[in-house]
Amino acid sequence: MIPKEIEAICIFIDFLDNNKEEYINKYIPLCNELRDLDVKRNSLHPNANYKDKQEYDKVQSQIELKFKPVYENVYTPIANKLQELGIWSGDDTYSSIHNNNISAISELQRNFTDEDVEQIMHYKQKYLQFRNDTNSDFLCLSFVFQSLDEILKDFFDFFKDTNENEFKNFEAKTIEVKNINELAENISNKRNENVKYSIPIDTVLGKKQEEIKPKIENIKTEIFMGDKIENVNISENRGQIAIGKKSKNEINNSDKLAEKSFNWTKWGIIVGAAIAIISIIVTIMYS
């Protein structure tokens, strides 16, 4: 019997599929326009020249205006549906997408019927079709789809008849870096690529990996064996856009939409998030 958590995932996949044509025809072109505006904004030097500052403000206003319908009509309905179905609990790290569903997935992988397999195969193909057809994270759903892809790959890979990686078309490629400086350089140079990074934990903590013995086991992170730190997914038409380092944050904190549209484009936040994650891990390990 299909557990209620898996039924909820199936309902969510139907939701994505029902809205797919609207996403493709209306919102993906809008996201492409936003990327072009981001490129234009990153070419400006608002702190060095008044004309650039005027043009920068103009482009920023266009970005916030165009980002609003994407946020309101794509991000918000998807986020609300995930919470309504109990797939996501609303946490900023989206780790609950894994934690809320892994037990049901593991149970179904141990006990299933032929009818269950038929339903699972149907929804696997529907989800893969959606991700391949849209090939987009809509600028603000990068972490959502990243978390969904990970848990669903764990789930669907058990029910497949091929050795092929069925998620490869929209899965981030891992780049190994040796230190923080190389990480920052790659983030800057590969802003338009869908990538994530692997960095040795001893480079960050100053200790050999085998010396580290975490005290907490039931924590989902993006570090595998102490080695993997993820960058925001960015590709030709997928993922969050990282703004150039010359940008200055002047948003009103009470305006959630403006905050998200600005954060979507600020690459410094990526580095800050990575450092924050590392700090949390260090605290856990040595607490």
Side-chain angles (χ1 to χ4, degrees):
M1 180 179 177
I2 299 287
K4 62 181 179 61
E5 293 87 352
I6 307 303
E7 291 287 0
I9 290 174
C10 293
I11 293 171
F12 179 71
I13 293 173
D14 279 334
F15 171 82
L16 293 178
D17 184 67
N18 290 338
N19 290 282
K20 181 172 70 173
E21 292 305 316
E22 183 179 19
Y23 295 156
I24 291 173
N25 295 326
K26 187 173 182 179
Y27 295 108
I28 289 179
L30 191 55
C31 290
N32 292 335
E33 290 181 33
L34 282 161
R35 287 188 178 88
D36 290 339
L37 286 169
D38 179 68
V39 171
K40 182 177 181 180
R41 177 176 52 185
N42 287 332
S43 69
L44 299 169
H45 301 82
N47 296 327
N49 182 271
Y50 82 97
K51 289 184 178 179
D52 275 23
K53 177 63 167 65
Q54 290 175 327
E55 186 64 19
Y56 178 91
D57 290 343
K58 179 181 177 181
V59 173
Q60 179 65 30
S61 296
Q62 291 177 320
I63 285 175
E64 292 181 4
L65 181 64
K66 290 178 180 291
F67 184 78
K68 184 176 181 180
V70 176
Y71 178 73
E72 292 181 346
N73 299 310
V74 181
Y75 174 84
T76 299
I78 286 177
N80 288 345
K81 195 68 175 179
L82 285 169
Q83 292 190 74
E84 173 191 323
L85 294 170
I87 298 171
W88 174 48
S89 298
D91 55 296
D92 291 337
T93 63
Y94 301 99
S95 60
S96 60
I97 291 178
H98 176 277
N99 297 333
N100 290 357
N101 299 284
I102 188 61
S103 295
I105 287 173
S106 298
E107 177 60 30
L108 185 56
Q109 288 174 338
R110 289 192 296 268
N111 301 288
F112 56 87
T113 65
D114 289 342
E115 290 77 11
D116 294 337
V117 173
E118 183 177 354
Q119 181 176 345
I120 292 165
M121 292 294 192
H122 170 75
Y123 280 98
K124 177 179 74 168
Q125 291 306 315
K126 185 175 283 191
Y127 183 76
L128 292 173
Q129 195 70 47
F130 173 85
R131 293 292 279 128
N132 282 306
D133 288 350
T134 57
N135 195 29
S136 177
D137 291 325
F138 303 97
L139 309 177
C140 50
L141 285 166
S142 177
F143 294 126
V144 173
F145 281 121
Q146 188 178 98
S147 299
L148 283 169
D149 290 347
E150 287 175 359
I151 191 67
L152 291 179
K153 183 178 180 181
D154 288 345
F155 176 38
F156 290 140
D157 272 2
F158 183 83
F159 297 96
K160 71 176 186 179
D161 303 311
T162 176
N163 292 324
E164 180 183 353
N165 178 6
E166 296 174 305
F167 284 68
K168 66 181 179 181
N169 290 341
F170 46 85
E171 191 172 48
K173 296 179 181 179
T174 300
I175 297 176
E176 295 185 1
V177 295
K178 297 177 181 179
N179 51 53
I180 295 294
N181 289 337
E182 189 175 339
L183 172 63
E185 182 180 353
N186 270 272
I187 290 175
S188 178
N189 293 336
K190 298 182 181 296
R191 295 173 61 249
N192 295 320
E193 298 181 25
N194 183 30
V195 296
K196 51 190 176 184
Y197 298 99
S198 171
I199 182 170
I201 195 67
D202 55 297
T203 297
V204 178
L205 301 181
K207 289 194 173 187
K208 290 185 178 180
Q209 205 169 289
E210 57 267 22
E211 294 177 355
I212 297 175
K213 298 179 180 179
K215 295 182 179 180
I216 299 177
E217 297 178 357
N218 190 25
I219 294 179
K220 178 180 180 291
T221 70
E222 287 304 325
I223 294 185
F224 295 152
M225 299 301 292
D227 276 346
K228 189 171 70 173
I229 296 176
E230 290 207 6
N231 179 29
V232 178
N233 283 352
I234 304 168
S235 67
E236 186 173 80
N237 62 346
R238 168 158 86 263
Q240 291 180 313
I241 292 293
I243 188 174
K245 56 189 176 183
K246 295 182 177 67
S247 301
K248 182 178 179 182
N249 190 341
E250 297 177 346
I251 59 174
N252 185 341
N253 289 332
S254 65
D255 188 343
K256 296 297 183 182
L257 176 57
E259 183 177 2
K260 281 185 176 293
S261 68
F262 199 93
N263 288 348
W264 150 60
T265 53
K266 189 168 179 60
W267 89 264
I269 289 177
I270 300 171
V271 177
I275 293 172
I277 292 170
I278 292 167
S279 299
I280 291 169
I281 294 168
V282 172
T283 302
I284 291 171
M285 288 179 175
Y286 293 96
S287 60

